[in-house]
Amino acid sequence: MGEGVRVMLVDDHPVVRAGLGRLLEAAGERVVAEANDGEEAYRLYGELAPDVVVLDLSLPGMSGLETARRLLTRYGEAHILVVSIHDNPAMLARALKAGVIGYLSKQIAPSTLLDAVRAVARGEMYIDPALAEAAPGAAGDLLERLTPREFEVFRLLGEGHAVGDIATLLHISPKTVGVHQTRILRKLNIGNSAQLALLAVRCGVVRP
């Protein structure tokens, strides 16, 4: 890695990508690709095979978790570092289950990001220390009942998105979102959207 770690940045905010890119390149690493969404990230990875994918979880269309799963299913050698505003154990557990080996909050110091990128490039796990010390607890364990798609719908419902908005974000029909919503309520043994929102906050999936 004498020429620097080859990094692909996946985030739908150009300003965030630009900031991360400047930080990495100033430290001698190389940003070889930038993607606005999961579909673009999947295509570019196939073309460039970067050493590390720095991935946001909140992406338009295919979520960051789905992007990670799809990349790792097709490219088992992919080294993925999540850098997300979702700094909670529930999201960390989901990301690790998907196969990522690095997870940081967007609040971390620049030096921590550089350490994480270099560690993940070597195939080493790097977890935000503050998150590594926390545990999801019983509420977080409850969410293990949900499939990956159900979890995405749960998160978006918890954030207050309407069914139609979720359908647009995930590129599925409103009817399909409704089916997922019904299954989520049944699996979590909750009766309505207000209870769902409270559970999402309690699990740390969304901020109060």
Side-chain angles (χ1 to χ4, degrees), residues 1 12 77 100 102 105 119 126 137 151-152 156 174 179-180 190 198:
M1 296 183 193
D12 63 330
E77 74 284 0
V100 310
S105 161
Y126 196 107
F151 182 80
E152 286 302 310
L156 292 168
V179 169
H180 285 312
I190 51 181
L198 286 173

Side-chain angles (χ1 to χ4, degrees), residues 5-37:
V5 178
R6 300 173 64 255
V7 181
M8 176 166 70
L9 302 175
V10 187
D11 194 299
D12 63 330
H13 294 95
V15 172
V16 173
R17 295 199 307 269
L20 291 173
R22 283 195 298 270
L23 172 64
L24 290 166
E25 293 189 338
E29 316 307 348
R30 297 169 55 205
V31 176
V32 296
E34 296 185 22
N36 184 68
D37 56 39

Side-chain angles (χ1 to χ4, degrees), residues 5 9 15 22 29 32-33 44 48 62 66 74 80 88 97 102 109 114 122 133 137 144 146 157 183:
V5 178
L9 302 175
V15 172
R22 283 195 298 270
E29 316 307 348
V32 296
L44 289 172
L48 299 168
M62 184 165 62
E66 283 189 57
R74 178 67 178 84
I80 300 176
N88 62 72
K97 192 171 183 179
L114 293 171
R122 296 190 296 268
E133 293 173 2
E144 289 300 309
L146 304 180
L157 287 169
R183 289 175 178 166

Side-chain angles (χ1 to χ4, degrees), residues 107-121:
Q107 307 304 316
I108 47 84
S111 60
T112 303
L113 174 66
L114 293 171
D115 289 343
V117 165
R118 290 161 182 166
V120 169

Side-chain angles (χ1 to χ4, degrees), residues 37-116:
D37 56 39
E39 294 287 350
E40 187 178 20
Y42 185 78
R43 177 180 60 79
L44 289 172
Y45 189 96
E47 295 174 3
L48 299 168
D51 300 320
V52 175
V53 178
V54 174
L55 176 68
D56 186 22
L57 292 183
S58 300
L59 298 174
M62 184 165 62
S63 73
L65 287 176
E66 283 189 57
T67 300
R69 279 190 290 270
R70 187 174 173 189
L71 280 170
L72 288 161
T73 297
R74 178 67 178 84
Y75 307 104
E77 74 284 0
H79 293 160
I80 300 176
L81 168 63
V82 167
V83 179
S84 175
I85 61 169
H86 298 290
D87 53 351
N88 62 72
M91 290 300 287
L92 169 62
R94 281 279 169 173
L96 293 177
K97 192 171 183 179
V100 310
I101 60 173
Y103 196 109
L104 296 176
S105 161
K106 281 189 174 178
Q107 307 304 316
I108 47 84
S111 60
T112 303
L113 174 66
L114 293 171
D115 289 343

